[in-house]
Coordinates of all heavy atoms in Angstrom, one line a residue:
N111 N 2.8 7.0 27.7 CA 1.8 5.8 27.7 C 2.5 4.5 28.2 O 1.9 3.7 28.8 CB 1.3 5.7 26.3 CG 0.2 6.8 26.0 OD1 -0.2 7.5 26.9 ND2 -0.1 7.0 24.6
L112 N 3.8 4.4 27.7 CA 4.5 3.2 28.1 C 4.7 3.1 29.6 O 4.6 2.1 30.2 CB 5.9 3.2 27.4 CG 5.9 2.8 25.9 CD1 7.4 2.9 25.3 CD2 5.5 1.3 25.7
L113 N 5.0 4.3 30.3 CA 5.0 4.4 31.7 C 3.6 3.9 32.3 O 3.6 3.2 33.4 CB 5.4 5.7 32.2 CG 6.8 6.2 32.0 CD1 7.0 7.6 32.5 CD2 7.8 5.2 32.7
L114 N 2.6 4.4 31.8 CA 1.2 4.0 32.2 C 1.2 2.5 32.1 O 0.7 1.8 33.1 CB 0.2 4.6 31.4 CG -1.3 4.1 31.5 CD1 -1.7 4.6 32.8 CD2 -2.1 4.6 30.3
E115 N 1.5 2.0 31.0 CA 1.4 0.4 30.8 C 2.2 -0.3 31.8 O 1.7 -1.2 32.5 CB 1.8 0.1 29.3 CG 2.0 -1.4 29.2 CD 3.0 -1.7 28.0 OE1 3.3 -0.9 27.3 OE2 3.6 -2.8 28.1
M116 N 3.4 -0.1 31.9 CA 4.3 -0.9 32.7 C 4.2 -0.7 34.3 O 4.2 -1.7 35.0 CB 5.8 -0.6 32.3 CG 6.1 -1.0 30.9 SD 7.8 -0.9 30.4 CE 7.7 -1.1 28.7
I117 N 4.0 0.6 34.6 CA 3.8 0.9 36.0 C 2.4 0.4 36.5 O 2.3 -0.3 37.6 CB 3.9 2.3 36.4 CG1 5.4 2.7 36.2 CG2 3.4 2.6 37.8 CD1 5.7 4.2 36.5
S118 N 1.4 0.6 35.7 CA 0.1 0.0 36.1 C 0.1 -1.5 36.1 O -0.4 -2.1 37.1 CB -1.0 0.4 35.0 OG -1.2 1.8 35.0
A119 N 0.7 -2.1 35.1 CA 0.8 -3.6 35.1 C 1.6 -4.1 36.2 O 1.2 -5.1 36.9 CB 1.5 -4.0 33.8
G120 N 2.8 -3.4 36.5 CA 3.6 -3.8 37.5 C 2.8 -3.8 39.0 O 2.9 -4.7 39.8
A121 N 2.0 -2.7 39.2 CA 1.4 -2.6 40.5 C 0.2 -3.6 40.5 O -0.1 -4.2 41.5 CB 0.7 -1.2 40.5
V122 N -0.6 -3.9 39.4 CA -1.6 -4.9 39.3 C -1.0 -6.2 39.7 O -1.6 -7.0 40.6 CB -2.3 -4.8 38.0 CG1 -3.2 -6.0 37.8 CG2 -3.1 -3.5 37.8
I123 N 0.1 -6.6 39.0 CA 0.5 -7.9 39.2 C 1.1 -8.1 40.5 O 1.0 -9.2 41.2 CB 1.7 -8.2 38.0 CG1 1.1 -8.1 36.7 CG2 2.3 -9.5 38.4 CD1 0.0 -9.1 36.5
A124 N 1.8 -7.0 41.1 CA 2.3 -7.1 42.6 C 1.1 -7.3 43.5 O 1.4 -8.1 44.4 CB 3.2 -5.8 42.8
K125 N 0.1 -6.6 43.3 CA -1.0 -6.9 44.2 C -1.7 -8.2 44.1 O -1.9 -8.9 45.2 CB -2.1 -5.8 43.8 CG -3.4 -5.8 44.8 CD -4.1 -4.6 44.7 CE -5.0 -4.4 46.0 NZ -5.5 -3.0 46.1
Y126 N -1.7 -8.8 42.9 CA -2.3 -10.2 42.8 C -1.3 -11.1 43.4 O -1.6 -12.2 43.9 CB -2.5 -10.5 41.3 CG -3.8 -10.0 40.8 CD1 -3.9 -9.3 39.5 CD2 -5.0 -9.9 41.6 CE1 -5.1 -8.8 39.0 CE2 -6.2 -9.4 41.1 CZ -6.2 -8.7 39.9 OH -7.5 -8.3 39.4
W127 N 0.0 -10.9 43.3 CA 1.1 -11.7 43.9 C 0.8 -11.9 45.3 O 0.9 -13.0 45.9 CB 2.4 -11.1 43.6 CG 3.6 -12.0 44.0 CD1 4.2 -13.0 43.4 CD2 4.2 -12.2 45.4 NE1 5.1 -13.7 44.1 CE2 5.1 -13.1 45.3 CE3 4.0 -11.5 46.6 CZ2 6.0 -13.4 46.4 CZ3 4.7 -11.8 47.6 CH2 5.8 -12.7 47.5
G128 N 0.5 -10.8 46.1 CA 0.2 -10.8 47.5 C -1.0 -11.6 47.8 O -1.1 -12.4 48.8
I129 N -2.0 -11.5 47.0 CA -3.2 -12.2 47.2 C -3.0 -13.7 47.1 O -3.5 -14.6 47.9 CB -4.4 -11.8 46.2 CG1 -4.8 -10.2 46.6 CG2 -5.5 -12.6 46.2 CD1 -5.6 -9.6 45.5
Y130 N -2.3 -14.1 46.0 CA -2.0 -15.5 45.7 C -1.1 -16.1 46.8 O -1.2 -17.3 47.1 CB -1.4 -15.8 44.3 CG -2.6 -15.9 43.3 CD1 -3.0 -14.9 42.4 CD2 -3.1 -17.1 43.2 CE1 -3.9 -15.1 41.5 CE2 -4.2 -17.3 42.2 CZ -4.6 -16.2 41.4 OH -5.6 -16.4 40.4
L131 N -0.2 -15.3 47.4 CA 0.6 -15.8 48.4 C -0.3 -16.2 49.6 O 0.0 -17.3 50.3 CB 1.7 -14.7 48.8 CG 2.6 -15.2 49.9 CD1 3.5 -16.3 49.5 CD2 3.5 -13.9 50.3
S132 N -1.3 -15.4 50.0 CA -2.1 -15.7 51.0 C -2.9 -16.9 50.8 O -3.2 -17.8 51.6 CB -3.1 -14.5 51.3 OG -2.4 -13.4 51.7
T133 N -3.3 -17.1 49.5 CA -4.0 -18.4 49.0 C -3.2 -19.6 49.2 O -3.6 -20.6 49.8 CB -4.3 -18.3 47.6 OG1 -5.1 -17.1 47.3 CG2 -5.1 -19.6 47.1
I134 N -1.8 -19.5 48.9 CA -0.7 -20.6 49.2 C -0.8 -20.9 50.8 O -0.9 -22.1 51.0 CB 0.5 -20.3 48.7 CG1 0.5 -20.1 47.2 CG2 1.5 -21.4 49.0 CD1 0.2 -21.2 46.4
F135 N -0.7 -19.9 51.5 CA -0.7 -20.1 52.9 C -1.9 -20.8 53.4 O -2.0 -21.7 54.3 CB -0.6 -18.7 53.7 CG 0.8 -18.2 53.7 CD1 1.1 -16.9 53.4 CD2 2.0 -19.1 53.9 CE1 2.4 -16.3 53.4 CE2 3.2 -18.5 53.8 CZ 3.4 -17.2 53.7
S136 N -3.1 -20.4 52.9 CA -4.4 -21.1 53.2 C -4.5 -22.6 52.9 O -5.0 -23.3 53.6 CB -5.6 -20.3 52.6 OG -5.7 -19.0 52.9
I137 N -4.0 -22.8 51.6 CA -3.9 -24.3 51.2 C -3.1 -24.9 52.1 O -3.3 -26.2 52.4 CB -3.4 -24.3 49.7 CG1 -4.4 -23.7 48.7 CG2 -3.0 -25.7 49.4 CD1 -3.8 -23.5 47.4
A138 N -2.0 -24.4 52.7 CA -1.2 -25.2 53.7 C -1.7 -25.2 55.1 O -1.0 -25.7 56.0 CB 0.3 -24.4 53.7
G139 N -3.0 -24.5 55.3 CA -3.5 -24.6 56.5 C -3.0 -23.4 57.4 O -3.4 -23.5 58.8
L140 N -2.4 -22.4 56.9 CA -1.9 -21.3 57.7 C -2.8 -20.1 57.3 O -3.1 -19.8 56.2 CB -0.4 -21.0 57.3 CG 0.5 -22.1 57.5 CD1 1.8 -21.7 57.1 CD2 0.7 -22.4 59.1
H141 N -3.2 -19.4 58.3 CA -4.0 -18.1 58.2 C -3.0 -16.9 58.3 O -2.7 -16.4 59.3 CB -5.1 -18.0 59.3 CG -6.0 -16.9 59.0 ND1 -6.7 -16.5 58.0 CD2 -6.1 -15.7 59.9 CE1 -7.3 -15.3 58.1 NE2 -6.9 -14.8 59.3
V142 N -2.7 -16.4 57.1 CA -1.8 -15.2 57.1 C -2.6 -14.2 56.3 O -2.7 -14.3 55.1 CB -0.4 -15.5 56.4 CG1 0.3 -14.3 56.4 CG2 0.2 -16.6 57.1
P143 N -3.1 -13.2 56.9 CA -3.9 -12.2 56.2 C -3.0 -11.4 55.2 O -1.8 -11.2 55.4 CB -4.5 -11.2 57.3 CG -3.6 -11.5 58.4 CD -3.1 -12.9 58.3
S144 N -3.6 -11.0 54.0 CA -2.9 -10.2 53.0 C -2.8 -8.9 53.3 O -2.0 -8.1 52.7 CB -3.5 -10.5 51.7 OG -4.8 -10.0 51.6
T145 N -3.6 -8.4 54.2 CA -3.7 -6.9 54.6 C -3.4 -6.7 56.0 O -3.7 -7.4 56.9 CB -5.1 -6.4 54.4 OG1 -5.6 -6.8 53.1 CG2 -5.3 -4.9 54.5
L146 N -2.5 -5.6 56.2 CA -2.1 -5.1 57.6 C -2.9 -3.8 57.8 O -3.1 -2.9 56.9 CB -0.8 -4.8 57.6 CG 0.3 -6.0 57.5 CD1 1.7 -5.5 57.5 CD2 -0.1 -7.1 58.6
H147 N -3.5 -3.6 58.9 CA -4.2 -2.4 59.4 C -3.4 -1.5 60.2 O -2.9 -1.8 61.3 CB -5.4 -2.8 60.2 CG -6.4 -3.8 59.5 ND1 -7.1 -3.5 58.4 CD2 -6.6 -5.2 59.7 CE1 -7.8 -4.6 58.1 NE2 -7.5 -5.6 58.8
L148 N -3.0 -0.4 59.5 CA -2.2 0.6 60.1 C -3.0 1.8 60.5 O -3.2 2.8 59.8 CB -1.1 1.1 59.1 CG -0.3 0.0 58.5 CD1 0.7 0.5 57.6 CD2 0.5 -0.7 59.6
G149 N -3.7 1.7 61.7 CA -4.6 2.7 62.0 C -5.8 2.7 61.2 O -6.5 1.6 61.1
S150 N -6.2 3.7 60.5 CA -7.3 3.8 59.6 C -7.0 3.5 58.2 O -7.7 3.4 57.2 CB -7.9 5.2 59.6 OG -6.8 6.1 59.2
I151 N -5.6 3.0 57.8 CA -5.1 2.7 56.6 C -4.9 1.2 56.5 O -4.3 0.6 57.4 CB -3.9 3.5 56.3 CG1 -4.1 5.1 56.3 CG2 -3.4 3.1 54.9 CD1 -2.9 5.8 56.1
D152 N -5.5 0.7 55.4 CA -5.2 -0.8 55.1 C -4.0 -0.9 54.1 O -4.0 -0.2 53.0 CB -6.4 -1.4 54.5 CG -7.5 -1.6 55.5 OD1 -7.2 -1.5 56.8 OD2 -8.7 -1.8 55.1
M153 N -3.0 -1.8 54.4 CA -1.9 -2.0 53.4 C -1.7 -3.4 53.1 O -1.8 -4.3 54.0 CB -0.6 -1.5 54.2 CG 0.7 -1.6 53.3 SD 2.2 -1.3 54.2 CE 2.4 -2.9 54.9
E154 N -1.6 -3.7 51.8 CA -1.3 -5.0 51.2 C 0.2 -5.2 51.4 O 1.0 -4.5 50.7 CB -1.7 -5.1 49.8 CG -3.2 -4.8 49.5 CD -4.1 -6.0 49.7 OE1 -3.6 -7.2 49.9 OE2 -5.3 -5.8 49.7
W155 N 0.6 -6.2 52.3 CA 2.1 -6.3 52.6 C 2.8 -7.1 51.5 O 4.0 -6.8 51.2 CB 2.4 -6.9 53.9 CG 1.7 -8.2 54.1 CD1 0.5 -8.7 54.6 CD2 2.4 -9.4 53.7 NE1 0.4 -10.0 54.6 CE2 1.5 -10.5 54.0 CE3 3.7 -9.8 53.3 CZ2 1.9 -11.9 53.9 CZ3 4.0 -11.2 53.1 CH2 3.0 -12.2 53.4
G156 N 2.1 -8.0 50.8 CA 2.7 -8.9 49.8 C 3.5 -8.1 48.7 O 4.6 -8.4 48.4
P157 N 2.8 -7.1 48.0 CA 3.5 -6.2 47.0 C 4.7 -5.7 47.4 O 5.7 -5.5 46.7 CB 2.4 -5.2 46.7 CG 1.1 -5.8 47.1 CD 1.4 -6.6 48.2
F158 N 4.8 -5.1 48.7 CA 6.0 -4.6 49.3 C 7.2 -5.6 49.2 O 8.3 -5.2 49.0 CB 5.9 -4.0 50.6 CG 5.1 -2.7 50.6 CD1 3.7 -2.5 50.6 CD2 5.9 -1.5 50.5 CE1 3.1 -1.3 50.5 CE2 5.2 -0.2 50.5 CZ 3.8 -0.1 50.4
V159 N 6.9 -6.8 49.6 CA 7.8 -7.9 49.7 C 8.5 -8.2 48.3 O 9.7 -8.2 48.0 CB 7.3 -9.1 50.3 CG1 8.4 -10.3 50.2 CG2 6.9 -8.9 51.8
I160 N 7.6 -8.5 47.3 CA 8.1 -8.9 46.0 C 8.8 -7.8 45.3 O 9.8 -7.9 44.6 CB 6.9 -9.5 45.2 CG1 7.5 -10.1 43.8 CG2 5.9 -8.5 44.9 CD1 8.3 -11.3 44.1
V161 N 8.2 -6.5 45.4 CA 8.9 -5.4 44.8 C 10.2 -5.1 45.4 O 11.1 -4.8 44.6 CB 7.9 -4.2 44.8 CG1 8.6 -2.9 44.3 CG2 6.6 -4.4 43.9
A162 N 10.3 -5.1 46.7 CA 11.6 -4.9 47.4 C 12.7 -5.8 47.0 O 13.8 -5.4 46.7 CB 11.5 -4.9 48.9
V163 N 12.4 -7.1 46.8 CA 13.3 -8.2 46.5 C 13.8 -7.9 45.1 O 15.0 -7.9 44.9 CB 12.7 -9.5 46.7 CG1 13.7 -10.7 46.1 CG2 12.4 -9.9 48.0
F164 N 12.9 -7.7 44.1 CA 13.4 -7.6 42.8 C 14.0 -6.2 42.5 O 14.8 -6.0 41.5 CB 12.3 -8.0 41.8 CG 12.1 -9.5 41.6 CD1 11.1 -10.1 42.1 CD2 13.1 -10.2 40.9 CE1 11.0 -11.5 42.0 CE2 13.1 -11.5 40.8 CZ 12.0 -12.2 41.3
T165 N 13.6 -5.2 43.1 CA 14.2 -3.9 43.0 C 15.6 -4.0 43.5 O 16.5 -3.5 42.7 CB 13.5 -2.9 43.9 OG1 12.2 -2.7 43.4 CG2 14.2 -1.5 43.8
A166 N 16.0 -4.6 44.5 CA 17.2 -4.9 45.1 C 18.2 -5.6 43.9 O 19.2 -5.3 43.7 CB 17.3 -5.5 46.3
L167 N 17.6 -6.8 43.5 CA 18.2 -7.5 42.5 C 18.6 -6.8 41.2 O 19.7 -6.9 40.7 CB 17.4 -8.8 42.0 CG 17.6 -10.0 43.0 CD1 16.6 -11.1 42.4 CD2 19.0 -10.6 42.6
L168 N 17.6 -6.0 40.8 CA 17.9 -5.1 39.5 C 18.8 -4.1 39.8 O 19.7 -3.8 38.8 CB 16.6 -4.6 39.0 CG 15.6 -5.7 38.4 CD1 14.1 -5.1 38.3 CD2 16.0 -6.0 37.0
M169 N 18.9 -3.5 41.0 CA 20.0 -2.6 41.2 C 21.3 -3.2 41.3 O 22.4 -2.6 40.9 CB 19.6 -1.9 42.6 CG 18.4 -1.0 42.6 SD 17.7 -0.5 44.3 CE 19.1 0.5 44.8
L170 N 21.4 -4.5 41.6 CA 22.7 -5.1 41.7 C 23.3 -5.5 40.3 O 24.4 -5.5 40.1 CB 22.6 -6.4 42.5 CG 22.4 -6.2 44.1 CD1 22.1 -7.5 44.7 CD2 23.6 -5.6 44.6
G171 N 22.4 -5.7 39.3 CA 22.8 -6.0 37.9 C 21.9 -6.8 37.2 O 21.0 -7.6 37.8
T172 N 21.7 -6.4 35.9 CA 20.7 -7.1 35.0 C 21.0 -8.6 34.9 O 20.1 -9.4 34.8 CB 20.8 -6.4 33.6 OG1 20.5 -5.1 33.8 CG2 19.6 -7.0 32.8
K173 N 22.2 -9.0 34.8 CA 22.6 -10.3 34.6 C 22.2 -11.3 35.8 O 21.6 -12.3 35.6 CB 24.1 -10.6 34.2 CG 24.5 -12.0 33.8 CD 23.9 -12.4 32.6 CE 24.3 -13.8 32.1 NZ 23.5 -14.3 30.9
A174 N 22.5 -10.7 37.0 CA 22.1 -11.5 38.2 C 20.5 -11.7 38.3 O 20.0 -12.8 38.5 CB 22.6 -10.8 39.4
S175 N 19.9 -10.6 37.9 CA 18.3 -10.7 38.0 C 17.9 -11.7 36.9 O 16.8 -12.4 37.1 CB 17.7 -9.3 37.9 OG 18.1 -8.6 36.9
A176 N 18.5 -11.6 35.8 CA 18.1 -12.5 34.6 C 18.3 -13.9 35.0 O 17.4 -14.8 34.6 CB 18.9 -12.2 33.4
R177 N 19.3 -14.3 35.7 CA 19.4 -15.7 36.2 C 18.4 -16.1 37.1 O 17.9 -17.2 36.8 CB 20.8 -15.9 36.8 CG 22.0 -15.8 35.9 CD 23.3 -15.8 36.6 NE 24.5 -15.8 35.7 CZ 25.7 -15.3 36.1 NH1 26.0 -15.0 37.3 NH2 26.7 -15.3 35.2
V178 N 18.0 -15.3 38.0 CA 16.9 -15.7 38.9 C 15.6 -15.8 38.1 O 14.8 -16.7 38.2 CB 16.7 -14.5 40.0 CG1 15.5 -14.8 40.9 CG2 18.0 -14.5 40.8
N179 N 15.4 -14.8 37.2 CA 14.2 -14.9 36.3 C 14.2 -16.1 35.5 O 13.1 -16.8 35.4 CB 14.3 -13.7 35.5 CG 13.1 -13.7 34.4 OD1 11.9 -13.6 34.8 ND2 13.5 -13.7 33.1
N180 N 15.3 -16.6 34.9 CA 15.3 -17.8 34.2 C 14.8 -19.0 34.9 O 14.1 -19.8 34.5 CB 16.7 -18.1 33.6 CG 17.2 -16.9 32.6 OD1 16.3 -16.2 32.1 ND2 18.4 -17.0 32.2
V181 N 15.3 -19.2 36.1 CA 15.0 -20.2 37.0 C 13.5 -20.3 37.2 O 12.7 -21.3 37.0 CB 15.8 -20.3 38.3 CG1 15.2 -21.4 39.3 CG2 17.1 -20.5 38.1
F182 N 12.9 -19.1 37.7 CA 11.5 -19.1 38.0 C 10.6 -19.3 36.7 O 9.5 -20.0 36.8 CB 11.2 -17.7 38.5 CG 11.3 -17.5 40.0 CD1 12.5 -17.0 40.5 CD2 10.3 -18.0 41.0 CE1 12.7 -16.9 41.9 CE2 10.4 -17.9 42.3 CZ 11.7 -17.3 42.7

Side-chain angles (χ1 to χ4, degrees):
N111 290 345
L112 285 173
L113 288 178
L114 168 70
E115 170 206 337
M116 293 185 193
I117 290 177
S118 296
V122 168
I123 299 300
K125 186 155 194 170
Y126 283 138
W127 188 91
I129 293 170
Y130 273 100
L131 182 63
S132 295
T133 303
I134 298 292
F135 284 137
S136 297
I137 291 171
L140 301 172
H141 178 65
V142 181
S144 62
T145 305
L146 296 178
H147 303 287
L148 306 175
S150 60
I151 300 174
D152 292 339
M153 184 191 81
E154 304 275 351
W155 61 269
F158 281 87
V159 172
I160 188 65
V161 170
V163 168
F164 278 108
T165 296
L167 267 175
L168 287 163
M169 288 166 67
L170 290 173
T172 304
K173 188 62 179 178
S175 54
R177 287 172 180 165
V178 174
N179 174 63
N180 292 352
V181 172
F182 274 96

